[in-house]
Amino acid sequence: TIEFTCALHATVVKQVCLKNPSSKTLMYNAILVGRDADDFSLPKGNTVTIAPKRQTSITVEFTSRFLRPAEAVLLLVSKTVGGINGATLTFSLKSEVKHIEPADILKCKSPCYEL
């Protein structure tokens, strides 16, 4: 589970580190699915390539729009490269809004009661 803690309407960026222990290149197609998948994004694109014996990171962004917790799943589906397939990877994405910053403060005067 990857947790995104932020203020309302704030954007949080998290990195997911992927390692390739094999001697072959792995490629993945990243997909965001779930109820709140639209609140999450992959700014560096949906394709991830991991060189042999190396590691790489996927950037996941979340922008909070509601006070309720958002949930989605990051799915990494392997693409065949030279006859090699990696395992399908899934990560649970969850958010929590910790505080609210006012967008603006308005002052107004009006009578409380008129006959």
Side-chain angles (χ1 to χ4, degrees):
T1 300
I2 302 167
E3 296 181 2
F4 296 81
T5 303
C6 60
L8 186 63
H9 301 298
T11 299
V12 179
V13 178
K14 293 278 183 154
Q15 300 285 328
V16 179
C17 182
L18 301 173
K19 294 181 182 180
N20 180 4
S22 74
S23 59
K24 303 284 185 179
T25 299
L26 293 176
M27 285 186 75
Y28 285 97
N29 187 27
I31 305 164
L32 293 165
V33 294
R35 177 186 73 185
D36 302 307
D38 291 340
D39 295 334
F40 295 89
S41 66
L42 303 165
K44 292 185 179 178
N46 293 358
T47 303
V48 181
T49 303
I50 313 169
K53 305 289 183 188
R54 300 281 182 176
Q55 65 183 29
T56 190
S57 295
I58 300 175
T59 303
V60 181
E61 279 187 3
F62 169 72
T63 302
S64 68
R65 297 185 303 149
F66 305 107
L67 287 174
R68 67 167 170 76
E71 294 181 4
V73 174
L74 171 62
L75 215 100
L76 296 169
V77 181
S78 177
K79 292 182 175 182
T80 303
V81 178
I84 301 297
N85 273 342
T88 299
L89 305 172
T90 58
F91 297 90
S92 176
L93 309 175
K94 295 186 179 190
S95 75
E96 184 179 4
V97 174
K98 288 286 190 180
H99 63 281
I100 303 169
E101 293 290 327
D104 199 5
I105 297 174
L106 301 173
K107 292 184 179 183
C108 61
K109 290 184 180 182
S110 74
C112 288
Y113 178 76
E114 279 187 36
L115 284 175

